[in-house]
Amino acid sequence: MLVRCLVICVVLAAMVGCSATAGEGTRAPDSTAEAASSIVSTTTTVEVEPLFAVSAAEVEAVVAERSSFGIAVNDAFNDPDASAFVSLFQQGAYFTDPVNPSMRPDVAFMHELYGGGEVGSLALAEAHPTRALPHGAWDLDLALGNQHGAATVGSIQVSDPPGSLRVIRQLPVSEGKAERGQHYFEIEMLRSFPDEIAAVLYLSPADVERVTAQVAIADEFMAAYESAWATRDLETIARLYDRDASRSDYLIGSPSGDSLIDWIRRLLDQHPGFGIVIDAAYASNGGPAALVQWQDVAGEALCSMTVVTIWDLDPDGLITHESIYYDPTDVLECGWDS
């Protein structure tokens, strides 16, 4: 069970003058203009562009709504009646298989295959013994969100062989319903290939080869990502990104290209104690994902914030897009109050 992040003094400490110990927080300025002026010394007139483009209250409201949607999807997956689950998705929605990109089961089939708790899976096992996962339920650890949708962190509890399949689920949302679903499997779990997990997922030899490749790509990327951020060198970090890379991040206004690199520069300049720690890495045919801690040290205070980050990579392993999902309990916990 992941330790709940301490606070978003992380990235905000210098802006709000945070001097609290972890979990206490400090009240932020009441406007963007005040936030900007709080960074600048009173002896200079140089203007510093704020790191954050959207107010905390607006972010918290949207993230809370999206994370609640992720919880509803998880609960509906465990309901033997498929109607509640199907109603949360747009007509024609599908799930992208994390192993084989050619497989795109529709929502009803996904519920039949994985959903309904123990009753549903046992019924399917009797009818299709080679297609069903004997499991108890989807367990939810964390539900996060951004302006585009929800992401959840959890697992499928498997009874034969016993264990769990640890998963990040990404759910792009529009007009109140999910457009599709994407699953990412935790890498440490996938390392048990081909014996245990392959048997549970009924994977073919070709599928096992795909997973092995996915793990290798994710391992290489995560190592480069953590190493680059540890250097705090802008050029090293910038080399992770494609020239036209974009970022879905409600807090910072979702910059792309040079604007994204400029935002990273300002982050490094304004927050010398900022760092990134990857708690758990995930992989799929769509690219890597991770449960990440953003951490910042301000004086004696260590603040951290949990996010889910999902990356799209080009054939050279460069980031073409990254999506940041926030835990709603983090957004205001450090006293960042609009």
Side-chain angles (χ1 to χ4, degrees), residues 218-237:
D219 275 341
E220 182 177 359
F221 172 77
M222 296 299 173
Y225 188 83
E226 282 195 297
S227 175
W229 276 97
T231 68
R232 295 190 54 79
D233 178 71
L234 179 63
E235 291 187 3
T236 302
I237 296 171

Side-chain angles (χ1 to χ4, degrees), residues 201-267:
L201 294 176
Y202 305 105
L203 298 179
S204 69
D207 290 332
V208 173
E209 290 180 6
R210 291 189 187 97
V211 171
T212 301
Q214 291 171 14
V215 169
I217 290 169
D219 275 341
E220 182 177 359
F221 172 77
M222 296 299 173
Y225 188 83
E226 282 195 297
S227 175
W229 276 97
T231 68
R232 295 190 54 79
D233 178 71
L234 179 63
E235 291 187 3
T236 302
I237 296 171
R239 283 197 290 270
L240 295 169
Y241 293 84
D242 175 79
R243 181 179 181 84
D244 299 317
S246 58
R247 174 167 169 158
S248 295
D249 184 339
Y250 201 18
L251 279 175
I252 70 175
S254 298
S256 61
D258 292 341
S259 296
L260 174 55
I261 302 305
D262 179 64
W263 183 87
I264 295 173
R265 176 190 61 76
R266 291 186 286 117
L267 172 66

Side-chain angles (χ1 to χ4, degrees), residues 62-63 66 145-149 173 247-251 253-254 324:
V62 171
V63 168
R66 298 304 195 197
N146 67 14
Q147 73 273 40
H148 298 301
V173 175
R247 174 167 169 158
S248 295
D249 184 339
Y250 201 18
L251 279 175
S254 298
I324 310 296

Side-chain angles (χ1 to χ4, degrees), residues 44-251:
T44 180
T45 58
V46 176
E47 294 184 2
V48 176
E49 184 180 354
L51 284 171
F52 303 101
V54 183
S55 73
E58 181 180 346
V59 171
E60 194 275 339
V62 171
V63 168
E65 177 185 349
R66 298 304 195 197
S67 64
S68 294
F69 182 84
I71 294 171
V73 169
N74 190 82
D75 290 345
F77 235 138
N78 288 328
D79 189 337
D81 183 356
S83 61
F85 183 71
V86 173
S87 70
L88 294 171
F89 290 80
Q90 295 182 4
Q91 185 174 3
Y94 59 88
F95 274 77
T96 303
D97 185 85
V99 175
N100 188 345
S102 67
M103 294 179 63
R104 294 190 171 188
D106 64 30
V107 174
F109 181 79
M110 277 297 291
H111 184 274
E112 181 187 17
L113 185 61
Y114 292 109
E118 187 173 0
V119 175
S121 61
L122 286 177
L124 183 60
E126 292 177 0
H128 306 286
T130 63
R131 301 297 298 276
L133 287 178
H135 71 279
W138 286 84
D139 285 349
L140 185 66
D141 295 331
L142 205 58
L144 309 96
N146 67 14
Q147 73 273 40
H148 298 301
T152 60
V153 182
S155 60
I156 312 173
Q157 299 305 311
V158 179
S159 59
D160 185 21
S164 64
L165 305 178
R166 297 184 295 278
V167 175
I168 284 177
R169 179 183 297 138
Q170 183 185 31
L171 298 162
V173 175
S174 63
E175 299 180 351
K177 294 189 176 185
E179 300 172 356
R180 59 179 176 82
Q182 170 77 55
H183 287 150
Y184 299 77
F185 287 146
E186 187 177 346
I187 287 176
E188 287 306 313
M189 176 195 75
L190 294 177
R191 293 192 200 286
S192 63
F193 270 50
D195 299 329
E196 297 174 12
I197 301 301
V200 172
L201 294 176
Y202 305 105
L203 298 179
S204 69
D207 290 332
V208 173
E209 290 180 6
R210 291 189 187 97
V211 171
T212 301
Q214 291 171 14
V215 169
I217 290 169
D219 275 341
E220 182 177 359
F221 172 77
M222 296 299 173
Y225 188 83
E226 282 195 297
S227 175
W229 276 97
T231 68
R232 295 190 54 79
D233 178 71
L234 179 63
E235 291 187 3
T236 302
I237 296 171
R239 283 197 290 270
L240 295 169
Y241 293 84
D242 175 79
R243 181 179 181 84
D244 299 317
S246 58
R247 174 167 169 158
S248 295
D249 184 339
Y250 201 18
L251 279 175

